[in-house]
C-alpha cells in the first residue's frame, strides 16, 4: 500500500510572497485580512487619512505569504498586492 | 533571506488599467463592485486582447460608475440603455470586444427589454451584471432581484414580489454563456470573464455582491464582510445545476447559493444582413469578411 | 427603388419618406436602428432593403429607447448613424437626445409628425412636435432641426443634417410631417461627387502622443472627436464632466459645460439658419409657415398678391435655430404690420414669433388630421 502524492511532490516549490500596500486607498473592508488563506494579514494599529485601519503583515507571519494573489484580486480598492520573492 | 512585513508603495501593478487619477472610487467600504471591477481589469489583461480593442459600456447606478474607472474606451450612458448603446458599437466595429458592466436594476429592470432582445439576437456582447439585490445609488430601494420578503427603502414591510433568477432568465432568452459567481469567488469570476471575452455572441455573468449600505443594513447582514462570509459558507459550485433551481434568498440559511458556469453553447451571433450586390468596396467595406458583422470604418465617405 | 448604389443619381418620382432614406444613404449613412411607426415606416422599410446592398448596417430594434441608444453607440464608434420615428417614438427618444447633447455624439433623428398627442392620428398629418423637438429632453441644450416641405427637400436636408450633426457634434433633427413623408413628387438626385460632405473634427495627434482631452473645445466650441477603438481611451458620460470627460459634479463645471453646449449652436447660428422668403421685400403681412403648411401658405400669398395685398411668406427651413435675425430685420424695415402663423398644432411656433416680434400675431391652427387650407391662411392675412 503506497501513499498517494502529487507527481511533482519533490519538484514543486511553494512560492514566497512579498506584500505591498497602498494605505491611502484602503477603506477598511477587511476582505484581504479575513480571506487570506494563510492568515498573513492584520489590521494596522495606525489609521490612514480617511480614518481606516489598512492591512499590515501580522507579527510573526512575515514568511508565510505564498503569493496566491487572493488579497490582490479581492481588494475593492486596488490597495494591496503581492509579488513573488526570488 | 531577509523577510519583511508589508511594504508601502505609491502605485498598484494594475494601475494602468484604471484611471488611477480618479481613485479612490466612490463606492462604499465593503461594496462588492470593487472586486468585480478588479476581476474585469485582470480578465481584460488575461484575455490577450489588446486594451485598445476593449470597450466598456455601462448604464446608471453604482455599478454604472465602473465605466468611469476602467482605462479603456468607456461610455457611461443613460439608465437601462447600456446594452443597445453597446450594440451600436459592436455592430459597426465587430473587431472590438465590448463589455457591458452594469447593475441588476439598470440591466434587468429599466433595461430589461433590451437585455432579453440582445440575448435573443445573440449580439456579440459580454454582459457583466453586478447583482446586489437593491438600488444602491438611490439609497436601497427594492428592485427586480430583491428577495421576497427582504426589506428595502421602498419595501419597509418586506418585498412583496418574487425576484428574477438572472441565470435562468439569461439562458431562457438565448445567452450563449451564462455564469454566476460572487465578489468573493474572484478567481472563478475572472476566469469566467476571460471565457466570455473569448466567445462570440451574447454572454452573461451575474456577480453576487454585498451592498452593506443599501441591502445589508435593513436586512441584518451587518457589513460587507458578513455578506462575503455568507458567500463563503453557503455557496455551492455546480456547473450542471438545473437552471430553474437557481433562486436565491440571502436570508434563508437552509438554502445554498448555487454558483457555476451553467451554459456554454455556440450559435451564430448577430450580423446585419448583407446581400452580395452593389459596389460595397466603393466604401472600403470589403474587409467585413473577417468577422462578417458590421461595417468597417476605414475609408468611410 | 433598388439601384444597388449609394447615390441613386437621376430624376425620380419618389415618396418623401423614400427621398429621406435616399438622402441619408447619399450622405454616407452607415448605421440605422429603428422601430416601425406610422408614418415613418417607409423610411425604415426602404433602408432595410437598401442598406444590405451597400454593406451598411440596418438593425430593427425592440423600441425607440434602444433605437437611439444604438445609434449613439454606433456613432461613438465612428459611423454616420440615424433613426426615424414619429411622435410616440420621438417621445421615447427624449432621454437619449439629452445624452447625445451631453456626450456630443452626432446623430440624425427623423420625426415624421402625425396628429398628436399620444397615439393621436397615426395616419394623418400633424405638426405638434416642434416645441418638443427644441425642448423635449430635460435641461438646457441645443439641437438643430430641419423642416422639409417637399420630397426633394427630404433628400437635400438629410445631407445637410448629417453634415451639421458631425460638424457641431449635436443631435440633428429632421421634422417631416405625414403629408411630406407620404407625398410623391419629382426628386432629382445629383451624382455622388456633387454631394456635399463635411465630417467630424478629429484629433490631430495620434493616441500614442501626450494626453488627449476629448472634451476640450477649440475654435467654434466643438471638441475634436475620438472614436471607440482608436486607442485614445476616452470616457464619455451623461454626467456633467470636465475636459477630460471625467465627472465633475459642481456648479462651475456645469456652467462651463452647459454654456458651451448651448453656444455651439447659438454662436454659429448665422452659419446654420436657413429659410425661404417669398415676397418679403415689401410685405405688410408676413405669413410664417413650415412643412406641408408652407405649401398652402404659398398659395395664399399668390392669391393675396393677385388681389393687390402685400403679403409675404417666411418659411423656416431650420425651425431650430429659428430664423430670429430675419424676423428682426423684417421688423426693422418697418413695413410689416402683422404676422400670420399657420401650423398644424394649437400654436407653438406662433408663440415663438410673438416672443420675438412683440407685435400682433394672427394664428391659423388646427390640431391635426388635415392640411390647413390656403383659404384659411388667406382669410387671416387679409382680415
Amino acid at each position: 500500500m503506497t501513499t498517494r502524492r502529487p507527481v511533482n511532490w519533490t519538484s514543486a516549490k511553494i512560492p514566497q510572497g512579498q506584500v505591498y500596500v497602498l494605505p491611502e486607498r484602503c477603506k477598511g473592508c477587511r476582505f484581504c485580512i479575513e480571506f487570506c488563506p494563510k492568515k498573513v494579514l492584520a489590521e494596522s494599529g495606525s489609521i490612514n487619512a480617511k480614518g481606516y485601519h489598512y492591512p499590515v503583515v501580522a507579527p510573526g507571519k512575515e514568511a508565510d505569504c505564498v503569493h496566491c494573489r487572493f488579497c490582490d484580486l479581492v481588494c475593492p480598492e486596488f490597495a494591496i498586492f503581492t509579488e513573488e520573492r526570488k | 533571506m531577509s523577510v519583511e512585513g508589508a511594504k508601502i508603495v505609491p502605485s498598484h501593478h494594475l494601475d494602468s488599467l484604471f484611471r488611477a487619477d480618479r481613485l479612490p472610487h466612490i463606492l462604499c467600504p465593503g461594496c462588492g463592485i470593487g472586486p468585480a471591477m478588479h476581476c474585469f481589469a485582470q480578465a481584460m489583461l488575461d484575455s490577450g486582447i489588446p486594451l485598445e480593442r476593449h470597450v466598456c459600456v455601462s448604464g446608471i447606478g453604482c455599478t454604472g460608475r465602473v465605466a468611469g474607472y476602467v482605462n479603456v474606451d468607456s461610455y457611461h450612458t443613460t439608465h437601462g440603455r447600456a446594452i443597445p448603446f453597446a450594440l451600436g458599437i459592436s455592430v459597426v466595429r465587430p473587431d472590438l470586444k465590448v463589455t457591458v458592466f452594469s447593475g441588476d436594476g439598470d440591466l434587468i429592470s429599466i433595461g430589461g427589454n433590451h437585455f432579453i432582445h440582445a440575448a435573443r439576437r445573440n449580439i456579440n456582447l459580454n454582459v457583466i451584471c453586478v447583482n446586489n439585490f437593491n438600488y444602491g445609488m438611490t439609497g436601497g430601494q427594492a428592485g427586480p432581484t430583491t428577495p421576497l420578503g427582504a426589506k428595502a427603502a421602498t419595501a419597509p414591510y418586506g418585498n412583496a414580489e418574487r425576484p428574477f433568477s438572472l441565470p435562468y432568465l439569461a439562458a431562457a432568452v438565448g445567452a450563449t454563456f451564462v455564469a454566476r459567481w460572487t465578489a468573493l469567488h474572484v478567481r472563478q469570476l475572472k476566469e469566467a470573464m476571460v471565457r466570455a471575452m473569448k466567445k462570440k455572441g451574447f454572454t452573461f455573468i451575474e456577480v453576487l455582491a454585498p451592498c452593506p449600505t443599501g441591502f445589508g443594513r435593513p436586512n441584518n447582514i451587518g457589513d460587507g464582510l458578513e455578506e462575503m462570509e455568507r458567500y463563503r459558507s453557503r455557496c455551492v459550485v455546480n456547473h450542471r445545476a438545473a437552471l430553474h433551481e437557481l433562486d436565491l434568498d440571502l436570508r434563508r440559511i437552509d438554502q445554498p447559493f448555487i454558483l457555476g458556469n451553467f451554459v456554454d453553447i455556440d450559435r451564430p451571433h448577430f450580423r446585419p444582413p448583407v446581400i452580395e450586390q452593389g459596389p460595397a468596396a466603393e466604401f472600403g467595406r470589403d474587409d467585413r469578411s473577417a468577422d462578417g458583422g458590421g461595417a468597417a470604418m476605414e475609408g468611410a465617405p | 427603388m433598388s439601384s444597388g448604389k449609394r447615390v441613386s443619381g437621376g430624376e425620380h418620382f419618389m415618396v418623401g419618406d423614400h427621398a429621406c432614406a435616399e438622402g441619408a444613404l447619399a450622405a454616407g449613412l452607415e448605421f440605422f436602428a429603428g422601430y416601425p411607426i406610422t408614418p415613418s415606416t417607409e423610411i425604415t422599410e426602404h433602408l432595410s432593403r437598401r442598406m444590405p446592398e451597400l454593406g451598411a448596417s440596418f438593425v430593427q430594434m425592440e423600441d425607440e429607447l434602444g433605437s437611439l441608444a444604438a445609434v449613439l453607440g454606433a456613432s461613438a464608434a465612428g459611423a454616420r448613424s440615424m433613426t426615424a420615428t414619429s411622435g410616440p417614438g420621438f417621445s421615447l427618444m427624449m432621454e437619449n437626445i439629452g445624452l447625445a447633447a451631453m456626450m456630443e455624439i452626432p446623430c440624425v433623428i427623423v420625426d415624421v409628425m402625425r396628429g398628436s398627442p399620444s397615439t393621436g392620428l397615426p395616419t394623418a398629418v400633424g405638426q405638434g412636435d416642434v416645441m418638443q423637438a427644441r425642448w423635449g429632453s430635460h435641461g438646457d441644450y441645443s439641437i438643430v432641426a430641419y423642416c422639409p416641405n417637399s420630397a426633394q427637400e427630404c433628400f437635400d436636408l438629410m445631407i445637410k443634417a448629417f453634415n451639421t450633426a458631425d460638424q457641431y457634434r449635436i443631435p440633428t433633427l429632421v421634422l417631416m410631417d405625414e403629408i411630406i413623408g407620404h407625398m410623391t413628387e419629382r426628386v432629382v438626385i445629383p451624382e455622388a461627387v456633387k454631394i456635399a460632405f463635411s465630417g467630424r473634427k478629429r484629433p490631430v495627434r495620434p493616441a500614442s502622443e501626450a494626453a488627449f482631452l476629448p472634451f476640450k473645445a477649440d475654435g467654434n466650441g466643438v471638441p475634436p472627436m475620438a472614436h471607440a477603438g482608436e486607442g485614445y481611451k476616452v470616457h464619455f458620460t451623461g454626467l456633467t464632466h470636465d475636459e477630460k470627460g471625467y465627472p465633475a459634479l459642481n456648479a462651475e463645471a456645469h456652467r462651463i459645460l452647459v454654456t458651451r453646449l448651448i453656444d455651439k449652436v447659438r454662436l454659429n447660428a448665422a452659419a446654420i439658419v436657413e429659410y425661404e422668403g417669398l415676397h418679403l421685400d415689401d410685405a405688410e403681412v408676413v405669413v410664417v409657415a413650415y412643412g406641408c403648411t408652407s405649401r398652402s401658405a404659398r398659395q395664399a400669398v399668390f392669391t393675396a398678391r393677385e388681389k393687390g395685398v402685400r403679403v409675404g411668406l417666411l418659411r423656416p427651413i431650420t425651425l431650430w435655430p429659428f430664423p430670429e435675425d430675419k424676423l428682426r430685420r423684417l421688423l426693422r424695415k418697418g413695413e410689416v404690420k402683422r404676422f400670420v402663423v399657420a401650423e398644424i398644432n394649437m400654436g407653438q411656433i406662433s408663440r415663438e414669433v410673438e416672443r420675438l416680434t412683440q407685435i400682433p400675431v394672427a394664428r391659423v391652427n388646427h390640431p391635426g388630421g388635415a392640411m390647413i387650407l390656403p383659404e384659411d391662411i388667406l382669410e387671416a392675412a387679409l382680415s
Side-chain angles (χ1 to χ4, degrees):
Chain A
M1 186 86 180
T2 52
T3 311
R4 283 165 57 96
R5 280 187 171 180
V7 290
N8 58 354
W9 181 253
T10 49
S11 61
K13 190 166 148 278
I14 297 170
Q16 208 179 51
Q18 169 64 48
V19 177
Y20 296 91
V21 176
L22 290 78
E24 292 309 319
R25 286 194 187 172
C26 179
K27 290 180 189 163
C29 71
R30 294 179 58 93
F31 292 174
C32 57
I33 296 170
E34 294 295 326
F35 298 114
C36 171
K38 304 292 276 184
K39 298 288 173 220
V40 169
L41 302 169
E43 268 186 0
S44 62
S46 51
I47 54 173
N48 67 14
K50 291 196 177 68
Y52 295 114
H53 295 278
Y54 51 89
V56 294
V57 172
K61 300 279 190 167
E62 290 81 359
D64 287 10
C65 173
V66 295
H67 182 52
C68 75
R69 299 193 54 197
F70 193 83
C71 59
D72 179 356
L73 213 45
V74 84
C75 176
E77 308 293 333
F78 329 111
I80 186 169
F81 61 99
T82 60
E83 278 179 5
E84 188 175 354
R85 283 188 178 131
K86 297 293 177 190
Chain B
M1 184 163 66
S2 71
V3 177
E4 298 177 59
K7 286 185 185 165
I8 289 177
V9 285
S11 63
H12 191 277
H13 69 101
L14 286 181
D15 272 359
S16 65
L17 279 100
F18 296 100
R19 301 179 193 271
D21 52 343
R22 294 201 62 218
L23 296 176
H25 50 60
I26 62 163
L27 305 167
C28 304
C31 172
I33 296 168
M37 169 163 51
H38 201 140
C39 290
F40 175 53
Q42 188 68 51
M44 283 195 289
L45 268 189
D46 293 358
S47 71
I49 300 164
L51 290 178
E52 294 74 30
R53 289 184 174 253
H54 279 281
V55 179
C56 179
V57 183
S58 69
I60 296 300
C62 292
T63 315
R65 289 300 192 95
V66 166
Y69 296 114
V70 290
N71 195 20
V72 295
D73 285 328
S74 56
Y75 299 88
H76 177 220
T77 67
T78 30
H79 199 13
R81 316 300 164 223
I83 286 177
F85 191 102
L87 177 154
I89 299 173
S90 174
V91 164
V92 300
R93 286 292 305 268
D95 57 319
L96 300 182
K97 181 49 67 178
V98 186
T99 300
V100 169
F101 199 118
S102 213
D104 50 305
D106 184 70
L107 289 169
I108 307 300
S109 185
I110 190 168
N113 199 34
H114 309 305
F115 176 78
I116 63 174
H117 286 280
R120 173 182 62 78
R121 295 185 180 103
N122 203 19
I123 301 293
N124 193 17
L125 208 58
N126 302 129
V127 176
I128 297 167
C129 175
V130 175
N131 177 5
N132 57 14
F133 312 104
N134 78 118
Y135 287 97
M137 183 70 90
T138 45
Q141 294 78 22
T145 54
T146 306
L148 187 66
K151 294 218 167 70
T154 49
Y157 310 111
N159 180 32
E161 302 175 15
R162 178 181 168 275
F164 272 130
S165 163
L166 299 186
Y168 191 24
L169 173 66
V173 293
T176 59
F177 179 78
V178 179
R180 172 196 279 161
W181 297 102
T182 80
L184 180 67
H185 293 74
V186 283
R187 290 190 208 287
Q188 297 95 324
L189 174 59
K190 192 260 293 174
E191 282 308 315
M193 289 176 180
V194 173
R195 270 174 77 174
M197 285 172 188
K198 289 183 172 172
K199 275 189 82 79
K200 289 278 185 192
F202 188 91
T203 71
F204 178 74
I205 300 172
E206 177 184 26
V207 187
L208 306 183
C211 175
T213 313
F215 184 77
R217 191 165 45 185
N219 290 291
N220 300 317
I221 302 180
D223 57 6
L225 191 61
E226 188 179 329
E227 190 166 330
M228 292 283 262
E229 184 56 42
R230 290 192 190 193
Y231 296 153
R232 194 192 59 74
S233 60
R234 287 170 53 193
C235 283
V236 173
V237 176
N238 179 7
H239 301 303
R240 307 177 74 166
L243 289 161
H244 64 274
E245 288 173 357
L246 297 175
D247 287 343
L248 286 172
D249 191 340
L250 281 179
R251 302 161 310 140
R252 280 182 54 185
I253 53 169
D254 58 324
Q255 194 187 32
F257 307 151
I258 298 171
L259 312 180
N261 300 316
F262 306 118
V263 174
D264 190 349
I265 56 170
D266 289 306
R267 64 185 181 93
H269 70 88
F270 173 82
R271 301 150 188 223
V274 180
I275 60 162
E276 295 305 324
Q277 73 169 64
E282 181 191 335
F283 289 90
R285 295 209 184 71
D286 42 352
D287 51 346
R288 47 193 290 136
S289 56
D291 182 86
M297 292 299 99
E298 283 75 29
Chain C
M1 193 193 86
S2 221
S3 69
K5 291 187 197 150
R6 194 164 259 279
V7 181
S8 310
E11 287 186 34
H12 306 271
F13 189 55
M14 195 183 273
V15 74
D17 277 351
H18 287 186
C20 165
E22 287 296 327
L25 293 171
L29 176 69
E30 290 162 293
F31 181 88
F32 176 94
Y35 186 84
I37 182 168
T38 308
S40 75
T41 310
E42 293 86 344
I43 299 171
T44 306
E45 287 181 354
H46 191 69
L47 289 173
S48 77
R49 278 196 301 275
R50 291 278 279 126
M51 293 179 79
E53 300 174 346
L54 303 168
S57 303
F58 172 91
V59 186
Q60 184 174 322
M61 294 297 291
E62 54 273 13
D63 57 33
E64 290 88 345
L65 303 162
S67 298
L68 188 51
V71 162
L72 298 187
S75 182
R80 276 201 157 179
S81 307
M82 71 170 281
T83 186
T85 190
S86 184
F90 193 50
S91 291
L92 292 184
M93 289 179 183
M94 288 302 138
E95 59 166 11
N96 284 313
I97 288 177
L99 185 72
M102 199 65 154
M103 286 188 168
E104 301 182 66
I105 298 181
C107 58
V108 174
I109 300 149
V110 178
D111 174 23
V112 187
M113 295 183 286
R114 67 194 214 186
S116 55
S118 189
T119 316
L121 299 167
T123 60
V125 69
Q127 293 183 317
D129 305 356
V130 294
M131 279 294 169
Q132 184 185 24
R134 175 65 189 87
W135 303 107
S137 198
H138 49 287
D140 295 304
Y141 59 96
S142 276
I143 50 90
V144 169
Y146 291 99
C147 189
N149 81 337
S150 65
Q152 180 69 51
E153 257 193 5
C154 291
F155 179 91
D156 297 341
L157 292 181
M158 284 305 287
I159 290 160
K160 284 191 175 154
F162 275 103
N163 288 342
T164 299
D166 274 359
Q167 212 175 332
Y168 299 103
R169 290 185 62 178
I170 49 169
T172 299
L173 314 176
V174 177
L175 296 175
M176 294 164 55
D177 56 54
E178 185 275 333
I179 296 285
I180 299 302
H182 283 164
M183 185 172 56
T184 302
E185 311 184 287
R186 181 168 178 266
V187 174
V188 180
I189 297 180
E191 304 164 53
V193 292
K194 301 229 172 102
I195 304 287
F197 179 84
S198 59
R200 299 174 188 181
K201 197 189 295 176
R202 305 273 282 127
V204 182
R205 300 204 296 184
S208 52
E209 282 179 27
F212 169 63
L213 293 174
F215 290 90
K216 184 175 168 52
D218 55 23
N220 60 353
V222 183
M225 185 166 178
H227 299 148
E230 294 183 330
Y232 289 93
K233 297 182 178 176
V234 290
H235 180 58
F236 283 56
T237 176
L239 288 167
T240 298
H241 45 270
D242 58 20
E243 291 180 340
K244 267 184 167 172
Y246 290 3
L249 307 184
N250 61 76
E252 180 59 7
H254 194 64
R255 184 189 63 77
I256 291 168
L257 176 61
V258 174
T259 305
R260 186 172 63 72
L261 295 182
I262 294 170
D263 282 352
K264 283 196 297 185
V265 172
R266 191 177 68 89
L267 300 180
N268 294 301
I272 298 170
V273 166
E274 290 189 42
Y275 59 86
E276 180 192 2
L278 175 67
H279 292 309
L280 287 177
D281 290 344
D282 62 345
E284 289 180 341
V285 177
V286 171
V287 179
V288 178
Y290 49 92
C292 71
T293 309
S294 68
R295 297 171 76 111
S296 297
R298 169 180 292 264
Q299 183 58 51
V301 168
F302 289 144
T303 312
R305 288 277 164 176
E306 281 167 16
K307 293 176 189 290
V309 185
R310 289 193 286 165
V311 178
L313 171 66
L314 175 65
R315 176 173 76 92
I317 295 173
T318 52
L319 267 178
W320 309 112
F322 197 75
E324 299 184 11
D325 274 358
K326 180 62 185 173
L327 270 190
R328 293 206 180 90
R329 271 182 281 137
L330 283 171
L331 281 171
R332 271 201 298 274
K333 277 174 60 186
E335 290 178 43
V336 179
K337 298 190 172 58
R338 224 153 46 80
F339 284 90
V340 174
V341 181
E343 51 188 341
I344 308 175
N345 57 55
M346 295 310 283
Q348 297 191 18
I349 290 298
S350 62
R351 293 176 61 154
E352 189 70 1
V353 175
E354 278 167 3
R355 182 181 73 83
L356 292 164
T357 61
Q358 306 286 319
I359 67 169
V361 172
R363 300 176 176 197
V364 184
N365 309 112
H366 75 77
M371 281 185 76
I372 293 176
L373 299 175
E375 298 87 299
D376 296 338
I377 299 171
L378 183 66
E379 187 188 331
L382 298 183
S383 61

